[in-house]
């Protein structure tokens, strides 16, 4: 049975291509495809008031939008921003993480007729077959765990099935590709604790998420891990030279081990800085006390406080042209040409700056499929990009676990 899908913009319905001319109907393809968004953040008050999952609210994801957009599954992230690496800082962060974990689990608990908590790849497919949304619990930034591996077991028992080591700032597990507070390289990739965590995650059957890690961190994860990995929300350096984007060498290495890179719908990682805008960005950098000139290797923003760095990031984003679905698929095209369609996927990073014109919330996901059809991707390949590749890695992780 085809799921009803509304393509959110008229433009998506009028795209022309050899594939479209050959008879592929984007709406029908989208309805037949298992669609999975591999990284979405949630508000701190998820489940409360206007952020109750059943309400078509002001956020970018809720059950009505998932249903309207034909999105079968979403990886909802337990995420807490980096803070002071002190006992009090860890305790406060853990409290926030516990609350988000409970709220994410609560989506399925309160709405069992519409959503299920997916603990295995098979659960995702089973939910899609009966028209329910699969909620996969992800985790990003090990900061709330302090200097302790034990919480990983507890979070696995509570449903976490994807684990990312860092966000914007180094922690006790690893270095971040966006360090803050002045210390750029602390561990040279993973710390000894982070290396132990890789083996523990393999043993449990948790997908290792290498987004946000440094190149050395990615390399070390791949050297230790017995299972393929996912970059749950990353861009590609070959399109936009940004410290958060993956180099060709990283794409190659992730793919060589059977992993998948989920290209993220985050504008600054998709749209190049034009010659016209460079002087404006240089002036902005000086305003924030940064050198006007910068490179990927010497961005300088690690010297800013977390709040000031966030303000700077938002200010730069406001200068850039707004990214579109076409820009997103340009990066998908680049990654596919580099490592093959079996190692590329899609993610939104909604509720944390993600979203592009045409895919501004989950209700518009069909527009991404329309653009893929317009580019000539086959239905089988669109299935791989939207969820098939992620679920393949999920199963491989399950098979290599000791559970």
């Amino acid at each position: 049975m085809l799921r009803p899908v509304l393509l959110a913009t008229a433009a998506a319905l009028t795209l022309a291509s050899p594939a479209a001319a050959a008879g592929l109907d984007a709406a029908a393809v989208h309805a037949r495809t298992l669609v999975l968004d591999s990284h979405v953040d949630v508000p701190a008050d998820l489940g409360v008031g206007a952020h109750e999952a059943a309400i078509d609210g002001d956020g970018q994801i809720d059950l009505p939008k998932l249903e309207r957009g034909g999105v079968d599954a979403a990886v909802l992230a337990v995420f807490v921003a980096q803070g002071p690496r002190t006992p009090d800082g860890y305790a406060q962060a853990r409290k926030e993480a516990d609350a988000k974990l409970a709220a994410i689990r609560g989506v399925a608990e309160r709405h069992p007729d519409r959503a299920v908590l997916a603990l295995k790849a098979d659960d995702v497919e089973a939910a899609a077959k009966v028209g329910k949304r699969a909620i996969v619990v992800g985790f990003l930034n090990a900061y709330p765990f302090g200097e302790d591996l034990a919480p990983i077991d507890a979070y696995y028992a509570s449903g976490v099935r994807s684990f990312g080591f860092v966000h914007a700032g180094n922690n006790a597990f690893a270095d971040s590709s966006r360090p803050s507070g002045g210390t750029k390289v602390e561990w040279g990739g993973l710390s000894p604790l982070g290396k132990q965590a890789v083996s523990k995650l393999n043993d449990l059957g948790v997908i290792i998420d290498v987004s946000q890690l440094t190149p050395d961190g990615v390399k070390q994860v791949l050297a230790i891990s017995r299972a393929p990995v996912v970059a749950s929300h990353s861009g590609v350096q070959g399109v936009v030279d940004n410290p958060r984007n993956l180099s060709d060498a990283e794409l190659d290495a992730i793919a060589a081990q059977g992993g998948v890179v989920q290209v993220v719908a985050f504008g600054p990682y998709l749209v190049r800085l034009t010659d016209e805008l460079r002087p404006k960005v240089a002036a902005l950098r000086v305003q924030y006390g940064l050198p006007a000139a910068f490179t990927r290797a010497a961005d300088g923003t690690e010297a800013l406080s977390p709040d000031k760095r966030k303000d700077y990031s938002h200010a730069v984003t406001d200068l850039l042209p707004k990214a579109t679905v076409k820009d997103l698929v340009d990066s998908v095209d680049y990654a596919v040409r580099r490592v093959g369609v079996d190692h590329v996927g899609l993610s939104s990073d909604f509720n944390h700056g993600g979203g592009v014109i045409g895919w501004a919330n989950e209700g518009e996901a069909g527009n991404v499929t329309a653009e893929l059809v317009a580019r000539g991707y086959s239905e089988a390949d669109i299935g791989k990009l939207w969820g098939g590749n992620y679920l393949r890695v999920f199963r491989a992780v399950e098979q290599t676990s000791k559970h």
Side-chain angles (χ1 to χ4, degrees):
M1 179 182 294
L2 297 184
R3 291 179 277 104
V5 177
L6 176 63
L7 292 182
T9 67
L13 297 172
T14 59
L15 295 169
S17 73
L24 273 186
D25 177 82
V29 169
H30 192 74
R32 289 191 294 264
T33 297
L34 193 155
V35 175
L36 180 149
D37 183 350
S38 63
H39 185 83
V40 182
D41 279 306
V42 297
D45 61 346
L46 175 65
V48 178
H51 291 153
E52 160 56 42
I55 295 175
D56 196 351
D58 59 0
Q60 293 172 294
I61 178 173
D62 46 51
L63 289 173
K65 291 182 179 67
L66 290 168
E67 292 161 352
R68 185 164 66 247
V71 180
D72 299 285
V75 182
L76 303 187
V78 176
F79 163 71
V80 178
Q82 191 71 23
R85 287 161 63 177
T86 63
D88 287 346
Y90 294 144
Q92 179 58 37
R94 179 64 185 272
K95 182 178 178 181
E96 292 180 32
D98 288 348
K100 280 194 173 181
L101 175 59
I104 291 169
R105 288 175 54 89
V107 174
E109 291 168 355
R110 288 193 306 277
H111 307 288
D113 58 325
R114 300 171 75 177
V116 300
L117 183 68
L119 301 178
K120 300 183 297 183
D122 285 352
D123 295 340
V124 175
E125 291 190 337
K129 287 178 181 177
V130 297
K132 296 183 181 182
R133 307 307 115 179
I135 304 301
V136 181
V137 184
F139 183 90
L140 182 67
N141 193 14
Y143 163 64
F145 292 173
E147 301 173 14
D148 189 2
L149 285 176
I152 293 176
D153 293 282
Y155 270 52
Y156 173 81
S158 294
V160 168
R161 291 298 181 268
S162 172
F163 184 96
F165 289 87
V166 288
H167 186 246
N170 302 339
N171 59 35
F173 285 68
D175 290 337
S176 168
S177 60
R178 295 183 296 155
S180 60
T183 302
K184 189 164 187 178
V185 177
E186 182 174 352
W187 304 110
L190 299 179
S191 71
L193 188 68
K195 292 174 182 176
Q196 293 176 55
V198 173
S199 296
K200 175 178 278 292
L201 295 164
N202 282 168
D203 290 347
L204 290 171
V206 176
I207 299 166
I208 295 176
D209 177 6
V210 298
S211 285
Q212 309 270 2
L213 284 170
T214 62
D216 284 338
V218 173
K219 182 178 180 180
Q220 290 162 10
V221 168
L222 292 171
I224 299 168
S225 180
R226 306 190 309 271
V229 305
V230 164
S232 72
H233 59 304
S234 289
V236 290
Q237 184 189 340
V239 175
V240 175
D241 191 10
N242 184 290
R244 260 283 277 118
N245 286 355
L246 297 169
S247 67
D248 286 352
E250 289 172 290
L251 295 177
D252 294 347
I254 291 168
Q257 193 168 309
V260 58
V261 174
Q262 303 286 120
V263 178
V264 65
F266 185 75
Y269 301 161
L270 301 172
V271 179
R272 293 185 181 91
L273 187 62
T274 64
D275 290 340
E276 179 184 354
L277 288 175
R278 288 184 188 280
K280 295 180 181 180
V281 173
L284 183 67
R285 288 176 60 81
V286 171
Q287 179 182 331
Y288 277 82
L290 298 168
F294 67 99
T295 65
R296 181 176 191 266
D299 176 61
T301 55
E302 68 275 1
L304 300 178
S305 69
D307 286 344
K308 196 169 184 181
R309 182 173 182 167
K310 182 178 180 181
D311 290 344
Y312 167 77
S313 177
H314 288 166
V316 171
T317 299
D318 289 342
L319 285 177
L320 292 171
K322 301 303 180 186
T324 69
V325 165
K326 290 182 182 294
D327 295 313
L328 172 64
V329 179
D330 284 346
S331 284
V332 170
D333 284 347
Y334 181 97
V336 168
R337 287 194 299 268
R338 181 74 196 187
V339 296
V341 74
D342 290 333
H343 302 287
V344 184
L346 292 155
S347 65
S348 69
D349 201 15
F350 284 148
N351 293 330
H352 202 95
V356 296
I357 295 172
W359 191 27
N361 61 61
E362 296 290 14
E364 297 182 345
N367 292 329
V368 180
T369 301
E371 182 63 22
L372 292 169
V373 168
R375 300 286 178 104
Y377 285 91
S378 69
E379 182 167 344
D381 285 344
I382 291 170
K384 291 177 180 180
L385 294 168
W386 259 130
N389 291 334
Y390 189 96
L391 291 181
R392 172 183 55 77
V393 171
F394 199 166
R395 288 195 169 92
V397 169
E398 292 170 355
Q399 291 165 5
T400 56
S401 76
K402 293 185 177 179
H403 275 232

